[in-house]
Amino acid sequence: DADPGDTLAYHTGAAYPQDAASQVPVLLLAPEPGEVIIDICAAPGSKSTQIGLALHRDGRDDGLLICCDESDQRRRILAENLARQGVASALVTPLPVHRLAERAPGSADGVLVDAPCSGHQDRSVKQVARMALRQGELLTLAAKLVRPGGRLVYSTCTPYAEENEGVIETFCATHPGWQVEAQTLCGIDGDLAGLGGLRLWPQRQGSEPFFAIRMRCPGEASRSEALVGNAPEQEALPWLPNATAWRRGNAWFLGSVQVAACALPSEARGLIIAHGDKLEPWGAQGLIERGALAGETDHATALRLWAGESLSTPLEGHSLLRTSDGLPLGQMTADGLRLAFPSRLFRAGLR
């Protein structure tokens, strides 16, 4: 009965709620550090954060995750979720998918299409058919972004076969050379048409209904360099000794070389640490997670601070603060009495 959003762990980026079925598409995509991955229906960001964390290994951010979504409001939520999770290799772009496909064909090692779908609702035959047509269009655009030899994962959270097996059968019939790579996962059913995809059902797996399948682009070639631009100069990061960050104008951000140099318009790029000398809330948390010196406080005091309360006496020591069990709280105000957060981020009643 507990809501993960009611925990301090969620708000500090230490935990993220995601249905088990929703994690399957990224398992099939299998992103690796150094790769270019495109998520074309990215918001609100559960799969994007899952991909972004896979591009961070052994303390390094290596690779590029391009996140697309047609909704301005959903992209803002996406950027916030990426920041809260400390993802540094992601770029959120307002560029429509069809424009991206024209501009950078063959630029990705892997593309995820977690398509808009009918969900769990009762739909008419015509409604399902219209949705399947839109899904097929998205899949065709996504295929243009995959380099020869690259992989394409398609998924939905609906049980309707027309939007799942039907879309894949039509795609394969109209895209010669593309091959389904049959997958198995322990305890998960195969698809209804024996294509090599996966199915999850509420009555069998205890999750929401889900479909996922992986395909391989014909041929073998390096990815296009259409996304590559010039990275800005790296500079020493004042808040984290022996670390460097990128700087664009007044903004400091952490990120891979690929995300810093990506030649796409962006609404969010890497993990914003600060504007000038003012730390951003999730940037401060990201610094703490990466080893910046921070004071410690107990969980009860942390909950009071996160509720927006002021302490009666200042916390002495470092301006950055974490809990004694490791949750990165962020930066304190200059007087050491409150967390330096915008009022909209404060939450009372957390656990």
Side-chain angles (χ1 to χ4, degrees):
D1 295 330
D3 184 346
D6 291 338
T7 65
L8 186 61
Y10 169 76
H11 289 277
T12 56
Y16 189 96
Q18 185 181 9
D19 191 278
S22 176
Q23 298 177 38
V24 169
V26 177
L27 294 179
L28 298 191
L29 188 64
E32 292 285 342
E35 291 189 320
V36 173
I37 305 293
I38 301 177
D39 186 351
I40 73 164
C41 304
S46 59
K47 298 174 186 65
S48 293
T49 56
Q50 195 181 351
I51 295 168
L53 294 173
L55 300 183
H56 181 90
R57 185 174 295 175
D58 300 327
R60 273 186 77 221
D61 298 298
D62 186 11
L64 171 63
L65 167 61
I66 296 170
C67 300
C68 309
D69 201 279
E70 61 185 18
S71 166
D72 295 346
Q73 182 177 0
R74 284 168 60 85
R75 286 197 305 274
R76 286 193 290 273
I77 296 170
L78 166 65
E80 186 170 305
N81 280 327
L82 289 166
R84 182 184 283 112
Q85 287 288 291
V87 173
S89 293
L91 181 148
V92 179
T93 182
L95 201 66
V97 175
H98 72 275
R99 292 279 306 282
L100 181 59
E102 293 169 359
R103 179 169 176 168
S107 58
D109 299 292
V111 177
L112 174 62
V113 184
D114 185 46
C117 65
S118 295
H120 318 161
Q121 305 300 314
D122 289 333
R123 302 291 186 191
S124 70
V125 172
K126 288 184 178 179
Q127 287 174 318
V128 171
R130 281 197 298 269
M131 186 64 75
L133 182 62
R134 175 59 178 149
Q135 291 158 342
E137 292 169 349
L138 285 172
L139 193 56
T140 295
L141 288 171
K144 296 178 180 179
L145 293 164
V146 183
R147 67 165 175 83
R151 55 208 187 275
L152 175 61
V153 170
Y154 174 82
S155 62
T156 78
C157 59
T158 188
Y160 290 107
E162 295 88 341
E163 298 182 38
N164 296 315
E165 290 86 352
V167 169
I168 298 304
E169 288 172 331
T170 300
F171 176 83
C172 290
T174 54
H175 292 76
W178 279 83
Q179 298 291 325
V180 172
E181 292 191 329
Q183 303 293 310
T184 59
L185 285 176
C186 183
I188 295 179
D189 294 356
D191 68 82
L192 298 178
L195 301 174
L198 300 176
R199 278 276 197 169
L200 295 98
W201 304 93
Q203 72 275 19
R204 288 183 54 76
Q205 281 78 29
S207 70
E208 63 180 344
F210 226 90
F211 172 87
I213 195 165
R214 185 169 84 180
M215 294 173 285
R216 183 74 62 173
C217 182
E220 189 62 49
S222 300
R223 71 177 83 98
S224 160
E225 296 295 306
L227 298 174
V228 178
N230 296 317
E233 291 294 321
Q234 277 191 302
E235 300 185 34
L237 194 59
W239 304 274
L240 190 58
N242 304 317
T244 56
W246 307 102
R247 196 167 183 179
R248 287 183 182 271
N250 196 38
W252 296 84
F253 71 96
L254 289 173
S256 62
V257 175
Q258 298 94 320
V259 78
C262 182
L264 284 181
S266 65
E267 296 173 335
R269 183 186 295 266
L271 177 62
I272 299 295
I273 297 297
H275 287 91
D277 59 359
K278 183 180 179 182
L279 286 172
E280 291 295 300
W282 290 302
Q285 291 177 358
L287 290 176
I288 296 169
E289 289 176 333
R290 287 163 170 80
L293 293 175
E296 290 189 357
T297 190
D298 60 82
H299 195 81
T301 302
L303 293 178
R304 289 176 55 204
L305 289 168
W306 210 276
E309 296 182 26
S310 294
L311 303 179
S312 55
T313 57
L315 287 172
E316 303 291 342
H318 304 291
S319 66
L320 298 177
L321 188 67
R322 69 165 77 231
T323 66
S324 53
D325 53 356
L327 299 181
L329 295 173
Q331 186 181 32
M332 297 292 288
T333 52
D335 59 13
L337 295 175
R338 302 175 74 243
L339 282 173
F341 275 8
S343 58
R344 71 178 183 85
L345 295 183
F346 288 123
R347 295 287 188 278
L350 298 182
R351 295 181 287 111

